[in-house]
């Protein structure tokens, strides 16, 4: 009983801290800080759905750069990254500079363990020359993120998502037996073993009153990179804002009881603040390091929206569009979707491929978007796109992140 009261008390303390550090959730700008220090989409699904090859020119959103580097291993012709947040692009630039200038062991320490001692004084000067002026300005002030000093030792405890992960992981350590149960879960070798550990040791300790309430709060959702328009879509999926927490619990239960967790690097890094060499993104694996070093020149980074990039580069033809979940952010602004899709079609090759994710259960708000075709006629995306529902429905249940309601794969009719 005392242990339960202690957990609840410390939960309220953590929640108060989160409220304090997000005193400006309304002021949160997705352009002045790193939101995603690692990518929160499963590239395994993208690769299988899109069958990337040497003829493909890809356009996708930068985020943390992990998936762009994973796609690069498929040997596409070129990858164009766009992100309106210059801090996200600064992170991708730093990863590329590290691949070019560090040996594998130090690269692993930096982005595998999230700590490279003396980074800011010994290693950063070697990488700085390969950064754009804007990225230099950012990392001149933030290079200490990798030094391993302070209370947030790992880089993966930095940025808004990282800060939430750090606070939640710290809280887990205060709940008697929970951290040990979670480590036992992640060390399980079979799904059957996971299910036993989760149902008997993790779930009873994890889903207390505090956690149930925080995961449905606007504060938590905003700091994990889910803006209000996407929260509204998620509330529609869950039934209401009050039931968002229950929906998140159900998704995490699937991750813990139905998918192999020993290879789930997405959740492991936010539990431990680091990857392991047996459980990490493809770009961090030793066997891929030299291949990446030889091909990172095929990545171009742009601090723009997708629309801005396409409109300012009309001669750049794209065969593969990986749009992540960013259209959710525009769900309440169909005019922005119209402008973006008209630019997408204008720059597309003859037989383009598309992939996106959503908090919505279907693609209706996207498919209802009206665009003017090259022939001057107005049509909806429903008229123009052919959804590959078989591929999407086969792959979506295998998503190791499992925080999106739907996956969509499409070609032009």
């Amino acid at each position: 009983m005392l242990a339960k009261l202690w957990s609840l008390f410390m939960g309220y303390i953590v929640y108060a801290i989160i409220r304090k550090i997000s005193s400006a959730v309304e002021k949160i700008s997705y352009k002045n800080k790193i939101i995603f220090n690692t990518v929160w989409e499963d590239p395994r699904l993208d690769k299988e759905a899109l069958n990337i090859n040497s003829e493909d020119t890809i356009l996708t959103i930068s985020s943390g750069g992990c998936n762009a580097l994973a796609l690069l291993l498929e040997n596409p012709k070129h990858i164009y990254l766009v992100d309106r947040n210059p801090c996200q692009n600064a992170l991708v630039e730093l990863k590329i500079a590290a691949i070019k200038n560090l040996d594998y062991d130090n690269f692993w320490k930096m982005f595998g363990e999230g700590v490279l001692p003396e980074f800011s004084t010994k290693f950063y000067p070697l990488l700085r020359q390969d950064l754009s002026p804007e990225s230099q300005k950012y990392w001149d002030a933030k290079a200490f993120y990798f030094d391993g000093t302070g209370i947030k030792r790992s880089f993966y405890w930095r940025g808004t998502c990282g800060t939430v992960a750090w606070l939640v992981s710290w809280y887990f350590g205060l709940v008697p037996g929970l951290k040990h149960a979670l480590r036992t879960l992640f060390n399980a070798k079979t799904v059957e073993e996971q299910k036993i550990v989760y149902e008997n040791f993790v779930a009873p300790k994890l889903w207390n009153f505090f956690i149930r309430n925080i995961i449905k709060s606007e504060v938590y959702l905003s700091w994990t990179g889910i803006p209000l328009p996407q929260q509204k879509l998620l509330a529609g999926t869950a039934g209401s804002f009050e039931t968002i927490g229950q929906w998140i619990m159900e998704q995490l239960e699937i991750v813990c009881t139905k998918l192999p967790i020993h290879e789930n690097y997405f959740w492991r890094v936010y539990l431990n603040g680091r990857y392991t060499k047996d459980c990490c993104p493809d770009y961090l694996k030793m066997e891929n390091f030299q291949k990446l070093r030889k091909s990172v020149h095929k990545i171009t980074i742009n601090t723009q929206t997708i629309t801005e990039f396409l409109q300012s580069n009309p001669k750049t033809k794209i065969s593969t569009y990986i749009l992540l979940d960013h259209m959710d952010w525009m769900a309440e602004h169909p005019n922005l979707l119209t402008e973006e899709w008209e630019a997408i079609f204008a720059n597309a090759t003859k037989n383009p491929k598309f992939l996106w994710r959503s908090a919505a259960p279907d693609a209706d708000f996207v498919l209802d978007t009206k665009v003017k075709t090259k022939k001057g006629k107005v049509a909806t995306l429903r008229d123009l796109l052919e959804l590959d529902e078989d591929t999407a429905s086969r792959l979506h249940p295998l998503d190791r992140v499992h925080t999106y309601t739907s996956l969509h794969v499409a070609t032009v009719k």
Side-chain angles (χ1 to χ4, degrees):
M1 182 65 178
L2 285 175
K4 187 173 183 179
L5 289 173
W6 167 255
S7 299
L8 288 172
F9 171 72
M10 293 310 299
Y12 281 116
I13 296 296
V14 172
Y15 184 69
I17 293 172
I18 292 178
R19 289 291 301 185
K20 184 73 174 175
I21 62 175
S22 69
S23 58
V25 163
E26 294 83 13
K27 298 186 212 174
I28 238 187
S29 169
Y30 292 96
K31 296 176 71 174
N32 64 11
K33 61 191 68 170
I34 288 176
I35 308 298
F36 307 106
N37 54 15
T38 186
V39 175
W40 210 233
E41 286 85 18
D42 191 341
R44 182 186 293 173
L45 276 58
D46 301 15
K47 289 181 180 182
E48 185 168 344
L50 297 170
N51 191 26
I52 305 297
N53 60 62
S54 60
E55 298 301 313
D56 280 314
T57 298
I58 301 169
L59 175 65
T60 188
I61 295 169
S62 305
S63 188
C66 317
N67 287 9
L69 294 170
L71 292 169
L72 196 60
L73 295 169
E74 303 302 301
N75 193 34
K77 183 184 295 184
H78 201 84
I79 299 176
Y80 291 97
L81 296 182
V82 297
D83 206 303
R84 62 195 300 261
N85 183 346
C87 306
Q88 296 295 156
N89 284 337
L91 175 56
V92 182
E93 285 190 33
L94 190 69
K95 285 184 177 180
I96 291 174
I99 290 169
K100 289 179 178 178
N101 294 286
L102 298 182
D103 60 26
Y104 173 74
D105 288 341
N106 284 321
F107 179 70
W108 167 259
K109 289 176 184 176
M110 186 176 175
F111 286 108
E113 299 175 4
V115 175
L116 179 54
E118 299 182 283
F119 173 77
S120 59
T121 56
K122 184 177 178 181
F123 297 98
Y124 175 60
L126 302 176
L127 310 188
R128 191 178 187 276
Q129 62 186 350
D130 285 323
L131 304 178
S132 65
E134 189 165 17
S135 293
Q136 287 178 351
K137 182 179 179 181
Y138 181 82
W139 289 114
D140 286 352
K142 304 293 186 182
F144 70 90
Y145 278 3
F146 296 92
D147 286 343
T149 56
I151 57 175
K152 295 195 289 185
R153 292 191 69 249
S154 172
F155 167 70
Y156 293 107
W157 299 143
R158 304 288 182 171
T160 62
C161 286
T163 296
V164 171
W166 172 70
L167 284 167
V168 171
S169 181
W170 175 68
Y171 169 71
F172 286 169
L174 301 175
V175 179
L178 179 54
K179 211 66 178 289
H180 175 73
L182 286 166
R183 286 180 177 141
T184 302
L185 175 69
F186 274 87
N187 288 330
K189 301 301 181 187
T190 66
V191 173
E192 291 74 21
E193 184 182 348
Q194 288 172 215
K195 184 176 173 63
I196 292 171
V197 174
Y198 175 78
E199 292 179 347
N200 292 281
F201 302 102
V202 174
K205 297 177 183 295
L206 175 60
W207 301 121
N208 57 42
F209 178 80
F210 160 66
I211 293 293
R212 286 174 181 267
N213 278 275
I214 196 172
I215 60 176
K216 68 180 181 182
S217 71
E218 183 183 338
V219 175
Y220 170 82
L221 295 170
S222 294
W223 271 71
T224 52
I226 304 174
L228 188 57
Q230 193 169 39
Q231 291 180 35
K232 292 178 180 178
L233 289 176
L234 192 55
T237 295
S240 70
F241 274 96
E242 280 298 309
T243 53
I244 285 178
Q246 181 63 38
W247 182 87
I248 292 174
M249 288 172 58
E250 291 168 359
Q251 303 315 301
L252 283 174
E253 182 175 336
I254 292 171
V255 168
C256 293
T257 64
K258 296 184 178 180
L259 300 171
I261 206 163
H262 68 271
E263 63 173 13
N264 197 322
Y265 62 79
F266 302 95
W267 291 98
R268 180 185 294 271
V269 72
Y270 277 159
L271 175 65
N272 298 322
R274 57 170 293 170
Y275 299 106
T276 67
K277 290 189 175 179
D278 294 327
C279 185
C280 64
D282 289 345
Y283 83 93
L284 286 171
K285 295 178 179 178
M286 181 184 291
E287 61 266 28
N288 293 327
F289 185 67
Q290 290 302 325
K291 185 175 180 179
L292 287 174
R293 177 171 281 181
K294 293 175 182 177
S295 55
V296 287
H297 67 278
K298 295 197 289 185
I299 293 179
T300 303
I301 302 170
N302 308 270
T303 304
Q304 296 175 295
T305 65
I306 287 176
T307 302
E308 290 167 345
F309 170 77
L310 294 172
Q311 289 178 345
S312 60
N313 295 275
K315 294 183 179 180
T316 298
K317 298 303 176 184
I318 308 296
S319 68
T320 307
Y321 291 88
I322 303 176
L323 302 171
L324 279 61
D325 63 333
H326 88 283
M327 287 187 290
D328 284 2
W329 299 36
M330 300 187 287
E332 297 177 343
H333 301 281
N335 59 310
L336 296 180
L337 286 170
T338 291
E339 187 179 18
E340 178 172 288
W341 275 95
E342 286 181 348
I344 284 173
F345 284 125
N347 288 61
T349 57
K350 186 177 181 181
N351 297 300
K353 299 171 283 186
F354 308 95
L355 183 147
W356 72 92
R357 293 170 169 84
S358 180
D362 52 48
D364 285 352
F365 82 89
V366 175
L367 295 179
D368 289 339
T369 300
K370 295 179 180 179
V371 298
K372 185 177 290 187
T373 68
K374 293 179 180 179
K375 296 180 180 180
K377 296 182 179 180
V378 174
T380 66
L381 294 185
R382 196 182 305 276
D383 300 322
L384 302 174
L385 296 181
E386 184 75 45
L387 291 182
D388 185 350
E389 294 178 350
D390 289 342
T391 295
S393 60
R394 175 175 59 83
L395 293 177
H396 183 57
L398 305 177
D399 188 340
R400 291 172 289 180
V401 180
H402 230 82
T403 54
Y404 293 103
T405 308
S406 60
L407 171 72
H408 306 283
V409 182
T411 54
V412 174
K413 290 181 178 178

